[in-house]
């Protein structure tokens, strides 16, 4: 059973929205600020069409089983690089997890960034999501900055 990593196609957006909802449901336990019901993190068609982004899917036996994207973003003026690749939309169907699919997607996205002379790749992961953090560490990511939050009573 070989895994093929390729660019996502516009006609696959419905399947990709299902992946997005899988991400949302996986992240809900880590983030009580998310609205109830269906929400969207991404404009998938815009990402697929963008020259500044690469949306990939993993395919096994003609079935989409995973996804991820890289998007070029401007760095802050005080950072030593001008642009970086931000990774997101990392998803693998539960029955295909633990088979290296996420690693294959990450490697291709990192290669895409290198081809564009990008030297910095970043992503966000919930601090309590130890499974995802371990998967990213295996590929070479290191923790950088922990964002903290607090709810306060509003007027």
């Amino acid at each position: 059973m070989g895994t093929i990593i390729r660019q996502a196609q516009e006609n696959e957006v419905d399947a990709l929205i299902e992946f997005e909802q899988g991400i949302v449901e996986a992240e809900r336990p880590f983030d009580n600020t998310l609205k109830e019901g269906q929400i969207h993190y991404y404009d998938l068609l815009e990402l697929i069409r963008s020259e500044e982004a690469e949306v990939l899917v993993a395919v096994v036996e003609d079935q989409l089983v995973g996804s991820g994207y890289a998007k070029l973003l401007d760095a802050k003026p005080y950072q030593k690089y001008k642009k970086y690749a931000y990774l997101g939309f990392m998803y693998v169907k539960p029955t295909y997890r633990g088979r290296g699919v996420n690693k294959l997607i990450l490697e291709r996205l990192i290669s895409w960034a290198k081809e564009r002379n990008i030297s910095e790749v970043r992503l966000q992961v919930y601090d309590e999501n130890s499974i995802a953090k371990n998967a990213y560490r295996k590929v070479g990511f290191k923790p950088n900055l922990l964002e903290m939050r607090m709810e306060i009573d509003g007027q």
Side-chain angles (χ1 to χ4, degrees), residues 120-152:
E120 180 80 9
V121 179
R122 293 181 171 236
L123 56 80
Q124 293 179 329
V125 61
Y126 287 99
D127 189 47
E128 295 177 5
N129 191 345
S130 57
I131 293 171
K133 286 180 7 181
N134 289 336
Y136 296 130
R137 281 190 181 112
K138 284 181 185 177
V139 180
F141 284 88
K142 296 176 186 164
N144 186 46
L145 177 68
L146 176 63
E147 179 180 284
M148 298 181 74
R149 62 170 294 278
M150 175 177 69
E151 285 187 34
I152 58 173

Side-chain angles (χ1 to χ4, degrees), residues 27-132:
E27 292 181 348
R28 279 192 194 281
F30 305 116
D31 190 343
N32 67 358
T33 69
L34 297 178
K35 293 178 183 178
E36 293 298 319
Q38 189 175 52
I39 60 173
H40 296 282
Y41 291 156
Y42 317 107
D43 183 336
L44 294 166
L45 280 176
E46 179 204 334
L47 287 166
I48 290 170
R49 293 172 180 160
S50 174
E51 295 289 324
E52 297 288 301
E54 178 81 331
V55 182
L56 298 178
V57 291
V59 181
V60 176
E61 296 177 1
D62 295 326
Q63 179 180 209
L64 297 182
V65 301
S67 63
Y69 81 76
K71 183 175 183 178
L72 300 181
L73 297 176
D74 292 329
K76 301 290 184 193
Y78 52 80
Q79 292 175 313
K80 63 182 181 179
Y81 45 88
K82 293 190 186 299
K83 287 192 172 280
Y84 66 99
Y86 178 81
L87 305 186
F89 191 44
M90 304 304 302
Y91 180 78
V92 177
K93 283 185 172 182
T95 55
Y96 290 89
R97 293 179 186 160
R99 300 182 190 189
V101 174
N102 191 57
K103 182 180 179 193
L104 292 172
I105 294 169
L106 284 167
E107 288 171 347
R108 283 282 299 277
L109 292 172
I110 291 167
S111 291
W112 178 85
K114 285 179 180 178
E115 290 167 6
R116 283 147 185 80
N117 297 314
I118 299 297
S119 61
E120 180 80 9
V121 179
R122 293 181 171 236
L123 56 80
Q124 293 179 329
V125 61
Y126 287 99
D127 189 47
E128 295 177 5
N129 191 345
S130 57
I131 293 171

